[in-house]
Amino acid sequence: MPDDLPTPKRYDGPVGGWGSLEGITRVELNAKASPSAMLTLRDQNKPGGYMCSSCAWTKPEDPHAFEFCENGAKATLWDLTRDRCTPDVITRHTVSELRGMGDYALEKLGRLTEPMRYNAATDRYEAVPWDQAFAQIGAKLRELDPKSTTFYASGKAALEPSYLYALFARAYGHNNLPDSSNMCHETTSVGLKKVIGSPVGTCQMDDFDHVDVIFYMGQNPGTNSPRILHTLKSAVQRGCKIIVFNPLKEKGLREFVDPQNPVQMTVGAPTRIDHMYCQVRPGGDLAALMGVCKRVIERDREAREAGLPDVLDRDFLERHTTGFDAFIATLEATDWADLERASGLSRAEMEVAGEYYAEAENVMGIYGMGLTQHVHGSQSIGMLVNLLLLRGNIGRKGAGCSPIRGHSNVQGQRTVGITEKTELAPVEKYRELFDLETPQEDGHNTVAFLEGVLDGSNKGFIGLGGNLANAVPDHERVHEAWREMELTVHVATRLNTTHCLPGKSSWILPCLVRAEEDEQVSGNQWVSIEDSFSHIYGSRAYRTPASPHLKSETAIVCGLAKATLGDSHPKLTWDEWQADYSRIRDCIAATYPDEFHDMNARMNKAGGFYRGNAARERIWKTDSGKAEFTDPTTLNACGIGDAAGRYHLVTLRSNDQFNTTVYGHEDRLRGLSGSRMIVLMRPEDIREAGLREGERVDLVTDTDGDHADEPERRVRSLKVVPYDLPADTLAGYFPELNPLVPLWYHEELSQTPASKGIPVRIAKA
Ligand SMILES: Nc1nc2c(c(=O)[nH]1)N[C@H]1C(S)=C(S)[C@@H](COP(=O)(O)OP(=O)(O)OC[C@H]3O[C@@H](n4cnc5c(=O)[nH]c(N)nc54)[C@H](O)[C@@H]3O)O[C@H]1N2
Ligand SMILES: Nc1nc2c(c(=O)[nH]1)N[C@H]1C(S)=C(S)[C@@H](COP(=O)(O)OP(=O)(O)OC[C@H]3O[C@@H](n4cnc5c(=O)[nH]c(N)nc54)[C@H](O)[C@@H]3O)O[C@H]1N2
Ligand SMILES: [Mo]
């Protein structure tokens, strides 16, 4: 991996524009995409075409000529590489050698082409026919106690394989069904549900035609969901004000040139996205939003005293909410000085944002990992909802709360039963449709699974996608224990580090990507996905698969299930389902009739179909039956507070990566390139710490209390790079810095690892 000094060269161009085309071309070359791959992109995100496997942003009813973005194109071109990681290539190396190569080099070997089985005697993966692989894995699973195994899913697999995967797990005998959402938006699934009764966002595309102010918190659209920038640009051009909360001045939230717009591409005048940029410190959103609420309440008091109309929507508060008085009492008892300290913002900044809120007819709250990946992340979400509730900004046009989801079908996987929580599983329907009695007790989420790996109680693992051992906290400790498992099985497209940590018996099962045709007995199959707006779309592709030996994720799940369960459940018709996926959709429709009725007919209309959201109709499925105000227990969402010499570290994605898949070493929009082993630091902090730009330092996790005696967590030799950040804040890349995140340092309600506010200190290298 290149590791030269990153030149923080200024990137003066905006997001989008020619820079994004250059970015695509560079990745096309690096990925060695096949010459026709660029043509395939024309079908991306279009009705009748395939849906991008990158992010979960909605696919419009009336798509652009090229309905893809820089990073969606990169994801597809990466999938469509000409490089092949054949058995020859893999068997040339021992698994220990492969493990030493790291994810970047492993993925660059190309697409996996045949199923492989680990041979411990030679420490190599060796090709194995599919039938044998299924039979051997099935036999191994039958030997194990189902409850000692975990079936993980990364959010890419479509609704059809996901529905069957959950069914397979429960028929086999467990609810251990964590997915990538457990490291991501689980804080939303739990925290947003707690306060408005909906685990998903309430906004729809046409709300953006009416919104006046957007609070845009902890999400980086330029890199992670670039197609949203078209929507934000149109809103801004209509007069909408976007108020950003982010410790980093992210380029995508500042200016954007629409690569679909020939005039803008030629003249190059970018659209300014942010109206106001609040550079909060990590976890500072909680206090910042409290300050905004405080100003709104003051404005309301001033208005009443002056005989002007109320600022608060009292009718809405009365009829639809609970907990308002307790929250207001806390707000009034909290000093501005404390809010300034906890947020990193000035009182004036919070007050100005409060004025914008109070004056706007329609307000939306949008957020991402900057809110969810904190110990008190659900309270930050609660505080954003508090603000929205003050003026009835949920459940009407132009307003609402909109989490931006990660993987393209991560929301949908939860919808169709991939969940460790039995209360969310369609237990009755399984009984009715398949005569299936499912296990009663809740299963493992990601953190519980990892605890099971560490203490040896989790003995089997199937990963439907993902590079889990490298994406999780404390990953050095996890790596050691991972190999002690009896069984590890990976359904994957490319080789990664997790595959190179084989359990005692281990297989890699290579699968199709979304842009490849999926030929089964009844022809080329459709699959479907659900986006961040709860719209469901069909997806079908026509590209010849990377290898004739590949199977679809659906076929692999059916193969594993059949081999494991035998004939024990006559109504689980794996062969029929595999032959014709429309029959799986019939089952989905029968399981969730309110949302998925006539799924086969409805999913292919332009814009897909909407599965609805009660909170959008102001029906609150909460414990109280109302929208609930959150009375915070803390002012900063980080789990460990300030101390002398302590910094809070934010882990980030670069513009050249999809999670642990690193496409290259350019973080163009941040002006960084060359190395990922860096730590960003405020110039004043560099001076105060007695450091120099370019110097190498170690970072050490700085825990206290019960955890002070734990073995040291350290990442060595990171280059110090000056960067515009709040005081006492550091930033660097995920997954390189994951060894610093303790497994126990997670969100309080959802157990989402708190990757955005890690307490660390700097040690000389
Ligand atoms: N190209 C590309 N697209 C992707 C992905 C990818 O890796 N590459 N990953 C996909 C997945 S799985 C996910 S979950 C999403 C993730 O997409 P995002 O939600 O955008 O996640 P991150 O890039 O981790 O961080 C988001 C932002 O949070 C800010 N931040 C950090 N701490 C705080 C804080 O305390 N408060 C506030 N307000 N902001 C903070 C960071 O500066 C950063 O700008 O993207 C998806 N899309
Ligand atoms: N410190 C820190 N840690 C984090 C985060 C952070 O912000 N900071 N973010 C967290 C989040 S939000 C997430 S979602 C996780 C995700 O982290 P990862 O597990 O890295 O995410 P994926 O993109 O699901 O996994 C990548 C692998 O999926 C396989 N793959 C790619 N496409 C397909 C496909 O179509 N089918 C199948 N079966 N396999 C495929 C490839 O083999 C590839 O190596 O990381 C989490 N970890
Ligand atoms: Mo994610």
Side-chain angles (χ1 to χ4, degrees):
M1 184 179 288
D3 190 23
D4 328 308
L5 177 68
T7 16
K9 56 177 186 219
R10 272 168 60 82
Y11 173 70
D12 288 327
V15 176
W18 295 113
S20 71
L21 295 185
E22 266 169 50
I24 296 173
T25 312
R26 200 169 27 74
V27 170
E28 188 202 6
L29 292 174
N30 196 22
K32 300 215 208 110
S34 83
S36 59
M38 282 298 215
L39 288 175
T40 302
L41 281 171
R42 278 191 313 203
D43 294 338
Q44 187 151 310
N45 299 332
K46 302 247 186 77
Y50 67 94
M51 297 299 144
C52 173
S53 69
S54 188
C55 82
W57 181 246
T58 194
K59 324 297 185 263
E61 251 172 79
D62 45 352
H64 295 90
F66 297 99
E67 188 55 48
F68 58 84
C69 64
E70 173 179 357
N71 285 339
K74 285 183 194 169
T76 300
L77 295 174
W78 197 252
D79 280 350
L80 302 183
T81 176
R82 277 170 289 154
D83 287 329
R84 296 289 177 268
C85 186
T86 59
D88 267 3
V89 172
I90 303 185
T91 309
R92 217 174 288 152
H93 305 276
T94 63
V95 170
S96 312
E97 284 164 7
L98 290 170
R99 191 162 54 240
M101 287 166 63
D103 286 325
Y104 180 68
L106 289 175
E107 290 228 7
K108 278 194 58 84
L109 294 175
R111 289 282 301 283
L112 292 159
T113 59
E114 287 181 48
M116 309 286 294
R117 180 184 186 171
Y118 179 62
N119 180 343
T122 58
D123 188 32
R124 285 170 211 266
Y125 273 108
E126 293 165 0
V128 57
W130 279 104
D131 286 357
Q132 260 183 42
F134 285 147
Q136 290 164 343
I137 296 166
K140 208 77 216 159
L141 281 171
R142 283 197 302 273
E143 275 170 29
L144 293 172
D145 171 4
K147 302 224 164 35
S148 72
T149 70
T150 295
F151 291 9
Y152 170 81
S154 119
K156 275 192 181 174
L159 293 170
E160 293 77 3
S162 301
Y163 176 85
L164 295 187
Y165 194 54
L167 195 55
F168 169 32
R170 298 200 170 97
Y172 169 56
H174 66 74
N175 285 304
N176 299 331
L177 284 160
D179 81 354
S180 53
S181 180
N182 286 113
M183 294 178 284
C184 186
H185 265 294
E186 189 62 14
T187 311
T188 299
S189 306
V190 177
L192 192 61
K193 181 158 194 321
K194 178 165 179 277
V195 293
I196 65 168
S198 165
V200 300
T202 68
C203 296
Q204 292 291 294
M205 198 62 167
D206 61 358
D207 290 322
F208 285 87
D209 298 333
H210 302 276
V211 61
D212 302 308
V213 165
I214 298 176
F215 281 74
Y216 203 101
M217 321 209 47
Q219 206 269 339
N220 183 18
T223 288
N224 296 329
S225 49
R227 287 180 306 110
I228 196 178
L229 291 171
H230 297 284
T231 311
L232 297 181
K233 181 187 120 196
S234 307
V236 166
Q237 287 176 336
R238 208 182 28 75
C240 170
K241 297 185 175 71
I242 298 185
I243 305 178
V244 176
F245 293 74
N246 198 312
L248 273 76
K249 294 255 179 76
E250 299 283 25
K251 196 99 188 174
L253 289 159
R254 314 226 70 189
E255 47 195 26
F256 173 56
V257 166
D258 185 350
Q260 311 279 350
N261 178 335
V263 177
Q264 209 176 27
M265 282 292 274
T266 319
V267 183
T271 303
R272 180 79 189 231
I273 298 288
D274 68 304
H275 187 78
M276 177 176 179
Y277 211 106
C278 300
Q279 223 175 342
V280 280
R281 53 185 300 204
D285 311 84
L286 194 45
L289 288 167
M290 267 180 96
V292 179
C293 290
K294 203 169 164 75
R295 179 61 199 141
V296 176
I297 301 292
E298 280 171 10
R299 265 284 297 249
D300 181 70
R301 190 178 307 123
E302 289 161 15
R304 297 195 121 199
E305 284 165 8
L308 296 168
D310 288 358
V311 171
L312 301 182
D313 183 343
R314 290 208 152 68
D315 178 54
F316 175 84
L317 290 170
E318 185 67 30
R319 290 201 323 195
H320 288 286
T321 71
T322 173
F324 176 70
D325 293 340
F327 169 57
I328 296 303
T330 303
L331 208 53
E332 280 172 357
T334 310
D335 291 337
W336 280 108
D338 290 335
L339 294 176
E340 286 186 323
R341 209 169 304 120
S343 67
L345 301 182
S346 67
R347 173 176 177 171
E349 284 174 290
M350 293 182 263
E351 287 186 329
V352 170
E355 297 293 335
Y356 284 130
Y357 177 84
E359 279 162 22
E361 190 69 32
N362 302 318
V363 180
M364 212 184 259
I366 294 183
Y367 66 88
M369 298 299 101
L371 252 54
T372 62
Q373 292 178 336
H374 275 297
V375 170
H376 305 293
S378 53
Q379 297 197 39
S380 303
I381 294 172
M383 194 57 67
L384 180 59
V385 168
N386 284 356
L387 176 66
L388 295 172
L389 294 178
L390 293 179
R391 283 171 53 78
N393 273 310
I394 297 189
R396 61 181 168 76
K397 204 185 263 291
C401 188
S402 193
I404 305 292
R405 293 271 166 172
H407 283 93
S408 56
N409 191 40
V410 66
Q411 182 168 316
Q413 293 192 331
R414 285 281 193 246
T415 306
V416 297
I418 294 204
T419 166
E420 69 282 3
K421 294 176 184 142
T422 41
E423 58 167 2
L424 301 177
V427 175
E428 287 296 322
K429 289 287 179 184
Y430 287 149
R431 190 174 296 134
E432 185 187 316
L433 297 170
F434 310 118
D435 294 338
L436 185 68
E437 290 304 323
T438 53
Q440 308 282 312
E441 53 297 354
D442 281 353
H444 299 155
N445 60 17
T446 299
V447 167
F449 158 66
L450 294 169
E451 284 166 349
V453 173
L454 290 171
D455 71 19
S457 61
N458 193 95
K459 301 197 184 305
F461 172 83
I462 302 184
L464 186 60
N467 181 12
L468 190 58
N470 255 11
V472 296
D474 257 338
H475 71 189
E476 288 177 348
R477 283 172 63 213
V478 167
H479 281 195
E480 277 174 39
W482 193 274
R483 298 210 53 190
E484 296 303 313
M485 282 193 275
E486 294 293 327
L487 170 70
T488 54
V489 178
H490 302 281
V491 181
T493 53
R494 288 182 180 248
L495 207 56
N496 64 41
T497 300
T498 307
H499 309 149
C500 301
L501 295 163
K504 292 179 188 147
S505 303
S506 188
W507 284 264
I508 300 171
L509 307 177
C511 67
L512 299 174
V513 296
R514 190 120 6 100
E516 288 169 338
E517 70 184 356
D518 180 356
E519 193 66 30
Q520 303 293 343
V521 174
S522 68
N524 188 14
Q525 301 297 306
W526 290 93
V527 292
S528 56
I529 57 157
E530 174 179 336
D531 69 18
S532 276
F533 286 165
S534 310
H535 281 244
I536 286 101
Y537 314 82
S539 172
R540 182 163 67 172
Y542 296 94
R543 277 194 73 90
T544 306
S547 143
H549 304 293
L550 298 181
K551 285 190 186 292
S552 70
E553 288 169 323
T554 308
I556 294 172
V557 172
C558 289
L560 289 171
K562 249 175 57 174
T564 309
L565 304 171
D567 301 327
S568 56
H569 298 82
K571 291 198 174 169
L572 300 181
T573 53
W574 305 105
D575 285 334
E576 278 181 30
W577 288 331
Q578 183 181 328
D580 181 356
Y581 298 180
S582 72
R583 297 189 188 183
I584 310 173
R585 287 186 288 275
D586 289 339
C587 295
I588 298 177
T591 308
Y592 308 96
D594 293 346
E595 296 166 321
F596 285 92
H597 64 90
D598 304 314
M599 182 179 179
N600 277 307
R602 292 196 297 154
M603 71 177 190
N604 285 326
K605 75 181 192 30
F609 70 87
Y610 178 44
R611 71 176 175 86
N613 182 320
R616 189 174 165 82
E617 314 301 323
R618 296 192 167 174
I619 298 163
W620 315 104
K621 295 184 171 174
T622 57
D623 289 347
S624 61
K626 297 201 167 184
E628 298 188 358
F629 274 92
T630 300
D631 192 6
T633 61
T634 172
L635 294 184
N636 185 288
C638 293
I640 291 182
D642 295 333
R646 179 181 291 158
Y647 300 81
H648 283 97
L649 169 73
V650 167
T651 54
L652 298 166
R653 294 163 161 76
S654 81
N655 188 50
D656 251 4
Q657 104 184 62
F658 192 91
N659 297 334
T660 58
T661 300
V662 173
Y663 304 129
H665 290 76
E666 280 278 327
D667 197 356
R668 177 171 57 86
L669 303 177
R670 298 194 181 112
L672 301 168
S673 68
S675 170
R676 295 176 52 86
M677 292 304 284
I678 60 172
V679 55
L680 307 181
M681 195 169 176
R682 197 168 82 121
E684 296 88 318
D685 285 0
I686 297 180
R687 266 198 308 279
E688 267 173 41
L691 299 171
R692 278 170 295 106
E693 174 177 348
E695 187 173 345
R696 286 189 181 269
V697 295
D698 294 355
L699 291 184
V700 179
T701 309
D702 187 18
T703 55
D704 51 14
D706 295 347
H707 299 284
D709 297 335
E710 289 181 355
E712 186 182 75
R713 294 176 173 85
R714 181 184 283 254
V715 172
R716 293 180 192 278
S717 197
L718 296 156
K719 258 173 202 163
V720 173
V721 176
Y723 207 79
D724 180 1
L725 283 171
D728 303 325
T729 301
L730 303 177
Y733 291 120
F734 142 60
E736 285 78 357
L737 299 179
N738 284 38
L740 296 170
V741 192
L743 183 56
W744 48 261
Y745 192 66
H746 54 64
E747 208 279 325
E748 55 196 340
L749 298 184
S750 65
Q751 301 204 319
T752 305
S755 315
K756 297 289 187 263
I758 311 155
V760 293
R761 64 197 155 71
I762 295 175
K764 291 271 182 179

